[in-house]
Amino acid sequence: MPTVLIATSNSGKLRDFAGAAKAFGIEIASLPNFSSLTPVIEDGLTFEDNARKKAEEYSLHAMNEIVLADDSGLEVDALDGAPGVHSARYAADDPAMAESNTDDEANNARLLRELRKTPAEKRTGRFVCVISAARNGHTLAVFHGQAEGVILGRPRGSNGFGYDPLFYFPQIEKTFAELSAEEKAQYSHRGVAFRKFLKWASGEMTA
């Protein structure tokens, strides 16, 4: 079974990727010794900037292998696209300057505070994911995925991670936190981007 290396130790992201890969007979694995590597500073202005930077730098630790890195987050229309690239650090006093991620509960709490006066019909937003595939320090291809939804006023569901409990997907009338990893992969931004990668890499994976 082919294995795809992902430059992350985030268990939620690994579950998402595994859920998307399962139907294709692909195995997902974290980049070996990832936790011991010096973290790449995510200082890009866009999701693609960060995804490319991470994939290129981390691929130098697995020579001749394709390494994937993603950057993803939530864009809320009523907040002019925030949290955006700062989604994982949104609860910090200054998310743009924060050196480490803040926890999911705190990020969700800030989001709810920011939207407390926003009516339900104005709470639209989307999850965005950009996956970069790199080998030996060079980007090979980039893949984009989005999922449009609505931000609820309180969390629902116990699966998923990040903003999943607040992200309501009208098409199936559930939040992403109410779905299994396999179900989520059918609709999520990460699932969309990863399927694009698999289509591109089908020759690579079977070579």
Side-chain angles (χ1 to χ4, degrees):
M1 177 181 291
T3 299
V4 174
L5 296 178
I6 312 290
T8 187
S9 59
N10 183 313
S11 59
K13 284 189 177 185
L14 290 170
R15 280 197 304 273
D16 278 5
F17 280 120
K22 187 175 182 180
F24 296 88
I26 302 291
E27 207 165 80
I28 294 299
S30 180
L31 188 68
N33 304 311
F34 182 81
S35 60
S36 66
L37 301 179
T38 301
V40 173
I41 303 301
E42 298 180 43
D43 54 1
L45 297 179
T46 67
F47 294 117
E48 182 170 333
D49 289 343
N50 288 329
R52 282 175 173 268
K53 183 178 182 181
K54 289 191 291 184
E56 289 173 2
E57 294 195 24
Y58 286 129
S59 69
L60 295 173
H61 298 277
M63 297 303 291
N64 301 319
E65 298 284 349
I66 294 178
V67 173
L68 299 190
D70 90 310
D71 196 35
S72 54
L74 180 67
E75 296 178 341
V76 179
D77 295 321
L79 301 178
D80 297 322
V85 294
H86 307 305
S87 292
R89 305 181 291 278
Y90 197 48
D93 292 336
D94 185 351
M97 299 299 293
E99 295 183 357
S100 59
N101 293 347
T102 45
D103 68 60
D104 291 348
E105 187 175 340
N107 291 334
N108 281 306
R110 177 173 181 180
L111 180 63
L112 290 175
R113 288 196 304 273
E114 298 280 356
L115 291 174
R116 66 186 181 279
K117 295 182 179 179
T118 305
E121 66 273 13
K122 299 288 188 181
R123 297 168 73 106
T124 54
R126 69 207 50 81
F127 271 130
V128 177
C129 175
V130 179
I131 294 173
S132 178
R135 183 195 286 126
N136 300 340
H138 300 284
T139 295
L140 302 175
V142 176
F143 311 93
H144 296 254
Q146 286 191 188
E148 299 283 341
V150 177
I151 313 305
L152 298 181
R154 59 181 181 180
R156 273 176 39 180
S158 57
N159 298 327
F161 69 106
Y163 300 96
D164 285 354
L166 296 177
F167 188 82
Y168 179 79
F169 196 61
Q171 184 176 334
I172 53 174
E173 300 183 339
K174 291 182 179 181
T175 69
F176 276 2
E178 294 177 299
L179 304 176
S180 68
E182 290 79 11
E183 290 172 326
K184 182 181 174 185
Q186 297 178 46
Y187 306 104
S188 78
H189 52 311
R190 192 166 289 111
V192 170
F194 189 67
R195 284 191 292 275
K196 290 178 181 179
F197 159 75
L198 289 176
K199 183 177 180 180
W200 169 85
S202 58
E204 299 272 354
M205 294 291 102
T206 57

